[in-house]
Amino acid sequence: MNTIDEKLQPILSTVLHRNAGDPEFHQAAREVLESLGRVIARNPEYSDDALIERICEPERQIIFRVPWIDDENHVQINRGFRVQFNSALGPYKGGIRFHPSVNVGIIKFLGFEQTFKNALTGLPIGGGKGGSDFDPKGKSDREIMRFCQSFMVELHRHIGEYVDVPAGDIGVGAREIGYMFGMYKRLNNRFEAGVLTGKGLVYGGSRARKEATGFGTAFFVRSMLAAKNTDFEGKRVVVSGSGNVAIYAMEKILSFGGKVVACSDSSGYIVDENGIDLDLVKQIKEVNRGRISDYVEMKGQGCHHVKGGSVWNVPCEIALPCATQNELNGNDAKVLVENGVIAVAEGANMPCTPEAVHLFQKANVLFAPGKAANAGGVATSALEMQQNASRDSWSFAQTESRLEEIMTNIHAACHETSEEYGAPGDYVLGANIAGFVRVADAMRAMGVI
Ligand code: GLU
């Protein structure tokens, strides 16, 4: 495993102590601190004025009660969160997650990751994240609406187009953003389009936002493969998840000539050796809001569903974890390496455990961390903010070509930084350092804040 520079060890100790119950935040902070030893060895001024300690401490953390009434007329209570992590580069920016696993530690790790991810895009956005332990599964449309409205009744006073701009994440898509935007507009009596991103197209959304995270991951992997003189053509690909990120990563990979043979949801995975029928997955997930097992019933022959289990047992050359944090562990990594994987890219946020990342890097598997590989979603959110600010609406092609350019630049920044700091091809190190330096330079310019 990597080690932490002794000058940074006390900073990690403070993080562990201050956030005692937040293991995912420890994991994310440790990984970034492991990369920063090389920066302070070369530029000691980056450890002056407790700069790194300040970067590890959120600027503001908001926790609130969300009461709502279910269809049986019972009062339900959930907990809402918004962690405004860092605003050195722009307004706090990052998604809202609705999932029963959400707690302050999860939101904190996501906000921390978001800060560096957003810096890597090169666009003027700070880092934040929000969410609730509300479980959207099995809820009626009306229940979703009442929950979103109650969530926004509190959140509205903390956000704004120049303050904090939330968007979607797990469990939050265009429907939820619509309900939240409606309540924000009503409470503030102003049509402030730039306060949320991932909006519907008719009221200020951006073309290609829905596709952006998955497309961006595929663009990043294409650059990573190109740096090794290879491409997607004819390669077997396994994707975990079947939400927004997974679906549009698969779509772009198919257009690049890759063959996607498996994808999953929380109940299990499907394998289709003829190649996943993406239209069918879209019908099941985007229209029916159903389970991935429905695929086998609807498709008939040539495919099968495995209940539970690990999708990473399916042999592939390229693996894209696009579901959730820590979904791919050391055992999964071992199996993937044995089966000949050549590239792994995180479409989700921190889906690989530290042990898995270590095994991939040891085996010389190309590995792209989420803060680089999945930055296309938030980058396109920033393009949505640009369109809102200029009261404009760009074509799909124009938006997608900006996204492609941004992902190519992120790849180049990570790759060049890894070379500059003596670890060529280490995208974890490259992403952490390139993101850190941008945030750190802005913070140093602003004094002790
Ligand atoms: N939730 C996405 C992410 O993890 C997108 C955030 C956004 O668009 O603000 O980056």
Side-chain angles (χ1 to χ4, degrees):
M1 286 280 170
N2 295 325
T3 48
I4 295 205
D5 185 283
E6 60 175 22
K7 287 203 204 72
L8 298 173
Q9 194 62 53
I11 302 178
L12 181 64
S13 302
T14 305
V15 168
L16 302 185
H17 174 75
R18 251 195 204 130
N19 307 278
D22 306 332
E24 292 83 6
F25 181 47
H26 301 171
Q27 185 182 333
R30 187 188 300 270
E31 188 213 85
V32 169
L33 291 174
E34 279 171 1
S35 300
L36 296 186
R38 291 179 198 233
V39 180
I40 57 164
R42 195 177 295 185
N43 310 95
E45 63 276 17
Y46 280 119
S47 57
D48 289 350
D49 292 336
L51 177 65
I52 300 174
E53 285 93 323
R54 281 185 281 137
I55 285 188
C56 291
E57 179 65 14
E59 288 178 17
R60 189 175 297 110
Q61 305 183 57
I62 303 149
I63 303 183
F64 51 97
R65 179 171 70 204
V66 189
W68 56 283
I69 297 173
D70 69 19
D71 288 346
E72 273 73 55
N73 236 359
H74 293 132
V75 175
Q76 302 277 352
I77 303 293
N78 285 97
R79 190 173 269 194
F81 304 91
R82 188 73 185 165
V83 174
Q84 299 179 329
F85 220 106
N86 194 298
S87 61
L89 294 175
Y92 309 106
K93 180 84 197 86
I96 290 175
R97 174 177 294 191
F98 291 164
H99 192 271
S101 65
V102 164
N103 58 45
V104 71
I106 297 281
I107 300 300
K108 222 183 282 176
F109 112 69
L110 289 164
F112 181 75
E113 289 284 292
Q114 198 81 44
T115 300
F116 302 102
K117 181 196 307 193
N118 294 4
L120 280 173
T121 67
L123 298 165
I125 41 179
K129 201 85 186 191
S132 173
D133 56 3
F134 173 73
D135 186 359
K137 219 180 267 168
K139 302 289 189 297
S140 71
D141 194 61
R142 287 299 162 108
E143 289 177 320
I144 298 280
M145 181 175 75
R146 288 194 293 272
F147 179 80
C148 289
Q149 290 179 335
S150 179
F151 187 82
M152 186 52 83
V153 164
E154 172 59 34
L155 188 68
H156 85 281
R157 68 186 96 249
H158 308 291
I159 63 175
E161 63 179 323
Y162 292 105
V163 180
D164 182 356
V165 183
D169 195 81
I170 294 171
V172 177
R175 173 180 61 167
E176 291 74 19
I177 293 292
Y179 294 148
M180 287 192 266
F181 186 78
M183 186 51 96
Y184 183 87
K185 186 171 77 62
R186 193 169 175 210
L187 289 165
N188 287 277
N189 191 30
R190 52 191 257 134
F191 197 104
E192 191 185 327
V195 70
L196 291 175
T197 61
K199 299 182 294 297
L201 210 54
V202 284
Y203 67 94
S206 172
R207 290 185 180 81
R209 174 62 191 87
K210 184 172 70 168
E211 295 83 358
T213 314
F215 277 19
T217 304
F219 286 137
F220 193 94
V221 177
R222 184 183 59 172
S223 297
M224 209 163 58
L225 294 172
K228 292 277 179 199
N229 296 315
T230 184
D231 56 30
F232 271 108
E233 196 57 50
K235 299 219 166 48
R236 278 174 69 91
V237 183
V238 168
V239 176
S240 67
S242 46
N244 202 41
V245 183
I247 287 175
Y248 293 97
M250 292 195 266
E251 185 166 300
K252 194 48 91 182
I253 288 164
L254 295 180
S255 81
F256 289 157
K259 186 178 180 194
V260 184
V261 292
C263 67
S264 66
D265 68 10
S266 55
S267 61
Y269 63 92
I270 52 162
V271 183
D272 190 338
E273 287 294 341
N274 302 315
I276 295 285
D277 178 343
L278 197 53
D279 288 335
L280 186 52
V281 175
K282 283 186 187 174
Q283 174 68 34
I284 293 166
K285 288 290 170 181
E286 293 184 338
V287 184
N288 307 354
R289 296 184 188 271
R291 309 305 302 163
I292 201 68
S293 52
D294 299 347
Y295 184 96
V296 177
E297 280 152 45
M298 291 162 89
K299 184 80 183 172
Q301 291 188 334
C303 56
H304 65 278
H305 175 253
V306 178
K307 207 168 157 214
S310 170
V311 72
W312 309 119
N313 290 333
V314 182
C316 63
E317 289 154 286
I318 297 169
L320 301 186
C322 298
T324 194
Q325 67 270 354
N326 291 329
E327 54 158 307
L328 194 163
N329 62 26
N331 284 338
D332 299 320
K334 231 173 272 164
V335 173
L336 283 164
V337 170
E338 274 162 21
N339 286 337
V341 75
I342 61 163
V344 178
E346 296 186 321
N349 290 312
M350 207 171 76
C352 297
T353 64
E355 192 191 356
V357 177
H358 180 69
L359 287 171
F360 290 138
Q361 292 187 324
K362 209 172 78 182
N364 280 324
V365 173
L366 293 167
F367 177 76
K371 59 172 79 70
N374 72 38
V378 74
T380 307
S381 277
L383 302 181
E384 183 171 331
M385 291 161 73
Q386 284 183 29
Q387 293 169 72
N388 294 151
S390 57
R391 302 190 181 281
D392 200 357
S393 176
W394 306 346
S395 69
F396 194 97
Q398 186 185 352
T399 317
E400 190 188 0
S401 87
R402 286 287 311 272
L403 166 66
E404 187 172 358
E405 191 189 337
I406 292 165
M407 294 312 296
T408 308
N409 290 342
I410 295 176
H411 175 270
C414 295
H415 200 268
E416 281 159 21
T417 306
S418 74
E419 284 179 334
E420 195 186 328
Y421 283 87
D426 183 341
Y427 288 93
V428 174
L429 188 103
N432 286 338
I433 295 181
F436 166 81
V437 165
R438 286 184 188 164
V439 178
D441 285 346
M443 286 178 70
R444 290 179 65 215
M446 293 178 197
V448 176
I449 49 155

